Amino acid sequence: MTKPVSRQFATFALIGVGGLFVDMAALAVALHLLGLDPYGGRVFSYLMAATFTWYMNRRYTFTGVSRRGAIRQWARFLAANAVGALVNYGVYVLVLNVGPWVIDAIGLWPETLTVLLPYAGVAAGSVSGLVFNFVLSKKLVFRNA
């Protein structure tokens, strides 16, 4: 039986919070272990988080969809969520570029907060892409749920 849309959205959002933690952990790996810059590292971390959220949504949010064709469904998930991904990435870049100016203008501790900007950008980007990703996932990827 299909869950009500409000319950699907709540589950989708909770899985998104898990994806946020996967995203931040993958970003830390990309920056500190793989030596990627913040922009390339963000692409890496986004793909890790998107794969996590696709699997969890397939399993828990949109129950009742076919379990066949996982690779094709994963690719559709990435494609359908490209709009949300662009919004997500755009907000991330905005935070990276405007954040230092805001920190300086407010007179906060720049050495501490500047280090945290990539992670603040991930969080802001994730929230901004949530609604786009839910609607497009429900309508295009997990149609029968």
Side-chain angles (χ1 to χ4, degrees):
M1 181 172 193
T2 302
K3 294 179 187 179
V5 172
S6 61
R7 183 153 178 176
Q8 283 181 331
F9 184 77
T11 304
F12 191 88
L14 284 173
I15 289 169
V17 170
L20 175 63
F21 287 109
V22 169
D23 206 336
M24 288 183 180
L27 181 60
V29 167
L31 296 176
H32 303 293
L33 296 178
L34 301 178
L36 296 175
D37 66 37
Y39 302 100
R42 184 67 180 100
V43 171
F44 172 80
S45 71
Y46 174 78
L47 288 172
M48 296 298 103
T51 299
F52 168 81
T53 57
W54 161 76
Y55 176 79
M56 297 300 285
N57 282 308
R58 174 182 165 94
R59 181 128 170 103
Y60 298 107
T61 306
F62 301 108
T63 56
V65 297
S66 173
R67 298 293 173 219
R68 304 175 90 190
I71 300 297
R72 183 179 301 152
Q73 187 183 66
W74 174 78
R76 273 198 325 262
F77 183 80
L78 291 180
N81 287 277
V83 173
L86 289 173
V87 170
N88 185 325
Y89 192 77
V91 169
Y92 172 78
V93 169
L94 182 69
V95 169
L96 286 183
N97 287 290
V98 174
W101 178 82
V102 171
I103 290 168
D104 189 50
I106 295 175
L108 298 173
W109 309 282
E111 64 280 346
T112 303
L113 293 178
T114 303
V115 172
L116 299 176
L117 279 177
Y119 306 102
V122 169
S126 294
V127 169
S128 66
L130 174 65
V131 173
F132 289 103
N133 289 342
F134 176 75
V135 170
L136 293 175
S137 291
K138 182 160 180 59
K139 298 294 182 190
L140 300 176
V141 180
F142 304 105
R143 291 186 280 272
N144 300 326

